[in-house]
Amino acid sequence: MGTRGRSMIVGLDVDELIVKLNKALADEWLAYYQYWIGAKVAAGPMRGAVAAELEEHALEELGHALLLVERIMQLGGTPLLSPASWYEETNCGYEAPEDFYVEVLLEQNVKGEQCAIDAYQELVQFTKDADLVTYELALQIMRDEIMHEEDLQALIEDIQLMKERR
Ligand code: FE
Ligand code: FE
Ligand code: MG
């Protein structure tokens, strides 16, 4: 099973790649929940717009998790099977949204996105010239994470503008 996915890979340790993809998978699930629960508890100015954006990002992180699992299995690897492993394998960790205020939530998620962008950039470098399929995948997800950060920053700016104009 899954050996076809390996045949195009040149000069790269596939087992190491699978470990990296599983680490990214752990990050995506933790990001999913941080966004999803953040959307529920968000409080303060523009909470509706903030919650909608967080919910949208949650679904997009879930989409990333799916892409990673598909690639891990194409490579003959086993995706992480237990939520306990998310904490063991994560690059970016998990920040519980204990302060519900919108700006604090948004800043926490910005930090998460910046970490995700760095992690995918590393995966892009790791697969460059060796595994075009994973390279394209990492690049595509990295672009999404950059857009996520931009969307969050735009909301932070809007909230700050609103407060200045009162
Ligand atoms: Fe993601
Ligand atoms: Fe993201
Ligand atoms: Mg967005």
Side-chain angles (χ1 to χ4, degrees), residues 24 27-29 31-32 35 57 60-65 68 113 116 120 141-142 144-145 148:
D27 288 335
E28 294 294 353
W29 272 105
Y32 166 76
Y35 273 126
H57 288 193
E60 285 164 5
E61 308 305 7
L62 210 49
H64 295 162
L68 291 165
E113 292 297 347
Y120 283 109
I141 298 177
M142 190 180 75
D144 289 347
E145 310 302 14
H148 285 172

Side-chain angles (χ1 to χ4, degrees), residues 56-163:
E56 194 178 285
H57 288 193
L59 287 178
E60 285 164 5
E61 308 305 7
L62 210 49
H64 295 162
L66 174 63
L67 293 172
L68 291 165
V69 167
E70 284 173 350
R71 187 60 187 144
I72 289 164
M73 294 186 72
Q74 280 171 1
L75 292 168
T78 304
L80 298 180
L81 298 175
S82 155
S85 58
W86 299 342
Y87 260 101
E88 287 158 21
E89 299 299 326
T90 177
N91 301 298
C92 297
Y94 181 80
E95 276 204 67
E98 280 155 6
D99 185 334
F100 302 163
Y101 188 62
V102 282
E103 275 183 291
V104 179
L105 286 185
L106 289 167
E107 290 290 357
Q108 275 183 336
N109 287 311
V110 164
K111 262 173 61 187
E113 292 297 347
Q114 286 168 346
C115 178
I117 292 163
D118 288 347
Y120 283 109
Q121 195 148 24
E122 209 193 295
L123 201 53
V124 165
Q125 291 303 326
F126 187 77
T127 51
K128 193 171 176 268
D129 303 323
D131 174 4
L132 197 56
V133 175
T134 309
Y135 171 80
E136 288 285 351
L137 178 74
L139 200 57
Q140 180 196 335
I141 298 177
M142 190 180 75
R143 284 197 196 97
D144 289 347
E145 310 302 14
I146 289 168
M147 287 204 303
H148 285 172
E149 192 200 341
E150 281 178 2
D151 292 347
L152 299 174
Q153 298 282 17
L155 278 167
I156 291 169
E157 278 169 35
D158 285 350
I159 290 167
Q160 281 166 356
L161 256 178
M162 194 187 67
K163 280 157 64 176

